[in-house]
Amino acid sequence: MADHPDSIPPGDIPEEVARAAARESLRREAAGAKPAWVDRFVWSALWKVVAVGAIAAAAVIALDHLGHLLGLLAIALFFALAMIPGVEALVKRYGMRRGAAVGIIYLAALVVAAFMIAVLIPGLVRFAKTVAESAAGWFEALNDWSSETFGGPLIDAEAFGDGTSDIAGIVGSWADDVLGFVTSGLSLTFDMFTIAAFSFYFAVGFPGLMRAVMSRMPPARQRVFRWIALTSIEQTGGYFYSRLLIMAINGGLSFVVMVAVGLDLLLAAPLALFMGFVSTFIPFIGTYLGAIVPILVVLAVEGVVNAVVLLAWVLVYQQIENYVLSPRLSSKTMELNGAVAFGGALAGGALAGPMGAFMALPVAALITAIIKNTGRTYEVIEEAEAEVGAAPATAAAAPAAD
């Protein structure tokens, strides 16, 4: 039997056969016939497109149904990363098991949350009562001042009652909203339990998670990854804990000053908590936002002199924090650039509301730490010139060889 033409080496094909094959190929192309490999490619590509589309559709449906759970997992991972430096410190210093260390941190967080609830709700209720009792007098004083200054009242006398009741109702509803948020039912309870459970597992199992990730890398990359991860988390945790300590100092001292100027304890406690949190965790404008509300309350309740005293304290404390407290407490941690912090807070608030704004700063600190601890860095030419005292022209004429 004669060999098939395809099995004959190209150099052994007779010239007449090659010409006949070329003419047949041209005839098929003119007739619109496609080579067999075209059909195979089309069907193979079509099946791949169908498979990718089906997988993408299934992923979209799964994400749609699991979006809430994924959000809870992200929050849990955030809290776990925030706890890891504290857990590591307890384990190394006191020889605790990781589960016991996480339990101690959970207990401390529970105490702080209970304190905040116990302080905020009575304070809001008391503030609502103070507004209801004093708003009419505030309106009258404002009208008296405007009459003396501009020759007429700013607010209609008939609107006193309506304005007072509206303000009291709005402020009073804040306490109901806070209490309703805390006791809103099984859904919130289940979400909090889910976050707490996954945060516990992430924090306790962090070494195992690191080993699982590193097992997919070659040894050289494992060492680099481990150093970057541990250093970044340590610096981020240090930043977060130093901010919490500054918040506690700010709020505690502000509480003492508010009580000293005559503000009621039930009003001073939530205002000091608000002032410490906003001033510490909202960059740039946080200092002014955190101070303006307590100052206005003191102005309305205790008068101008006491409000000026509180304002003076805020200005003095801000200098102490900027030049004494913050450098010392953050000397071993990472400083977060103000523009990055401000942009991160805005982005986090836009994506996930108040919780996103709160989470944005530690996340931004983590990303900054990762960037800071990765890649190579080089000495800046201008700094090198300043250190050796060389002129720029001389350095330019004789650049250093690598």
Side-chain angles (χ1 to χ4, degrees), residues 25-321:
S25 177
L26 292 174
R27 187 188 65 80
R28 288 186 178 184
E29 291 181 2
K34 299 182 295 294
W37 65 268
V38 174
D39 292 334
R40 291 195 301 270
F41 174 78
V42 170
W43 282 106
S44 176
L46 182 60
W47 279 112
K48 290 179 181 178
V49 170
V50 172
V52 171
I55 294 174
V60 170
I61 295 174
L63 289 176
D64 182 57
H65 286 80
L66 298 176
H68 182 66
L69 177 60
L70 294 177
L72 296 180
L73 289 176
I75 297 175
L77 181 61
F78 163 78
F79 284 115
L81 293 176
M83 285 191 296
I84 286 173
V87 173
E88 297 290 344
L90 292 175
V91 170
K92 292 179 181 178
R93 179 171 297 183
Y94 301 104
M96 293 184 178
R97 300 178 61 181
R98 296 188 67 88
V102 176
I104 290 177
I105 294 177
Y106 270 31
L107 181 61
L110 183 62
V111 171
V112 171
F115 172 76
M116 292 177 63
I117 294 173
V119 167
L120 286 176
I121 295 178
L124 290 175
V125 173
R126 182 59 180 269
F127 184 55
K129 292 181 179 179
T130 302
V131 170
E133 295 172 356
S134 306
W138 298 341
F139 286 140
E140 291 178 359
L142 180 61
N143 274 347
D144 292 341
W145 173 81
S146 64
S147 298
E148 295 176 357
T149 305
F150 303 106
L154 290 178
I155 303 174
D156 187 5
E158 296 180 357
F160 280 174
D162 295 337
T164 301
S165 60
D166 291 341
I167 295 175
I170 292 173
V171 177
S173 66
W174 293 350
D176 297 335
D177 292 340
V178 173
L179 184 61
F181 176 78
V182 174
T183 61
S184 59
L186 295 177
S187 178
L188 178 61
T189 303
F190 180 77
D191 288 348
M192 294 178 64
F193 177 79
T194 302
I195 293 173
F198 278 108
S199 298
F200 179 87
Y201 292 134
F202 287 151
V204 172
F206 177 72
L209 293 175
M210 288 286 294
R211 285 193 296 270
V213 175
M214 292 168 60
S215 65
R216 302 289 181 175
M217 304 176 182
R221 188 174 297 177
Q222 288 181 20
R223 288 189 289 268
V224 175
F225 173 80
R226 185 177 184 276
W227 183 84
I228 292 173
L230 296 181
T231 303
S232 301
I233 293 176
E234 180 182 358
Q235 291 184 349
T236 305
Y239 169 81
F240 186 65
Y241 290 128
S242 65
R243 295 290 96 187
L244 288 178
L245 183 57
I246 291 176
M247 170 187 165
I249 295 174
N250 187 343
L253 295 178
S254 300
F255 173 77
V256 173
V257 174
M258 291 179 195
V259 173
V261 298
L263 200 62
D264 189 88
L265 290 175
L266 291 178
L267 287 178
L271 289 175
L273 183 62
F274 170 82
M275 183 175 176
F277 178 82
V278 174
S279 300
T280 303
F281 285 99
I282 297 181
F284 295 123
I285 61 174
T287 301
Y288 308 103
L289 291 179
I292 191 170
V293 174
I295 290 174
L296 289 177
V297 173
V298 172
L299 176 64
V301 176
E302 300 298 332
V304 177
V305 176
N306 292 330
V308 172
V309 172
L310 181 59
L311 175 61
W313 154 251
V314 170
L315 297 177
V316 171
Y317 170 79
Q318 192 61 38
Q319 302 305 313
I320 296 174
E321 179 181 305

